Amino acid sequence: MQKFTSLSGVAAPLPLINIDTDMIIPKQYLKTIKRTGLGTGLFSELRYDEQGGENPDFVLNRPAYRQAEILVTGDNFGCGSSREHAPWALLDFGIRCVIAPSFADIFYNNCFKNGILPIALPQEQIDLLMEDAEKGANARITVDLETQTIERPNGEKIAFDVDAFRRHCLLNGLDDIGLTLQHGAEIDAFEAKMRGDQPWVLQKRA
């Protein structure tokens, strides 16, 4: 998993509440188990018209936000079904950080496991960041996970909270597999002991 330490860039404003995972990545894109290629389907019902052409009014189709890595959005982001394709699609598009007043629990957890930093802030601070985001390329936001701060274009800093263990995993690029591999020596030692004490347990079946 890619490490997340500090991120500076343009933030895309998406002032909608209750954005569910089906809106983030519609069901027709769930046929794959690959984590790549889903960026084209991100918010597809909002990004494209019925003929498949781009909707020029949607924020991620505007020139200033095509390379956005930060999303500032509304309450209860990621609600609905638990599909992990939702953070996959965000990440494949290039979104590394989502800032909202609140998140659905499963989506929130899935973000950390896929290298995305979800930040929950009070609505009044979201409103300030939304105003910054609406300025487009003229305003850049810096998210620093090490110091747990968001720096606005005017230099003001907003502090945010994040669980210490999740912070550690993101800073070091550790997903569930990476965490397991940290204990590789202990796992090898356990299996070696099992082979000696209970060899039948690890025997391959014919």
Side-chain angles (χ1 to χ4, degrees):
M1 187 173 75
Q2 185 179 353
K3 295 179 180 180
F4 190 115
T5 52
S6 180
L7 174 65
S8 181
V10 172
L14 190 60
L16 299 175
I17 64 171
N18 300 320
I19 293 178
D20 63 23
T21 52
D22 189 59
M23 184 181 292
I24 296 171
I25 184 72
K27 58 185 180 300
Q28 61 266 30
Y29 295 93
L30 307 186
K31 298 175 183 178
T32 180
I33 58 172
K34 294 181 179 179
R35 302 188 183 198
T36 57
L38 291 169
T40 56
L42 180 68
F43 298 120
S44 67
E45 294 180 357
L46 298 173
R47 284 172 68 192
Y48 309 115
D49 58 29
E50 294 181 357
Q51 288 72 44
E54 287 190 353
N55 171 12
D57 295 327
F58 184 63
V59 61
L60 296 181
N61 290 336
R62 300 175 197 165
Y65 302 107
R66 286 184 179 272
Q67 304 299 320
E69 296 179 275
I70 303 167
L71 187 66
V72 182
T73 187
D75 197 35
N76 199 29
F77 188 84
C79 57
S81 68
S82 60
R83 65 190 67 171
E84 197 170 7
H85 291 67
W88 291 354
L90 286 163
L91 192 62
D92 193 60
F93 180 85
I95 302 293
R96 297 290 319 279
C97 178
V98 181
I99 307 172
S102 67
F103 296 87
D105 288 343
I106 295 176
F107 174 83
Y108 185 80
N109 293 332
N110 282 339
C111 280
F112 285 103
K113 293 181 178 182
N114 288 280
I116 297 174
L117 174 60
I119 299 175
L121 292 174
Q123 185 62 55
E124 56 268 25
Q125 293 179 330
I126 293 292
D127 292 341
L128 293 174
L129 293 172
M130 194 73 73
E131 290 178 10
D132 293 335
E134 287 170 352
K135 296 174 184 176
N138 295 321
R140 295 176 68 85
I141 292 173
T142 298
V143 179
D144 192 318
L145 181 56
E146 292 187 304
T147 61
Q148 295 180 215
T149 58
I150 301 169
E151 184 173 347
R152 299 180 60 205
N154 64 3
E156 177 189 348
K157 290 187 177 181
I158 297 173
F160 63 88
D161 293 325
V162 62
D163 175 79
F165 175 71
R166 288 169 169 162
R167 176 176 176 273
H168 168 79
C169 290
L170 273 183
L171 286 172
N172 292 280
L174 296 171
D175 57 12
D176 288 346
I177 295 174
L179 286 167
T180 301
L181 290 175
Q182 284 188 314
H183 301 281
E186 293 98 316
I187 293 170
D188 290 342
F190 174 81
E191 290 183 346
K193 187 175 186 302
M194 287 286 289
R195 289 189 187 95
D197 296 345
Q198 299 174 318
W200 60 89
V201 174
L202 297 177
Q203 273 184 343
K204 292 183 179 179
R205 295 184 179 180

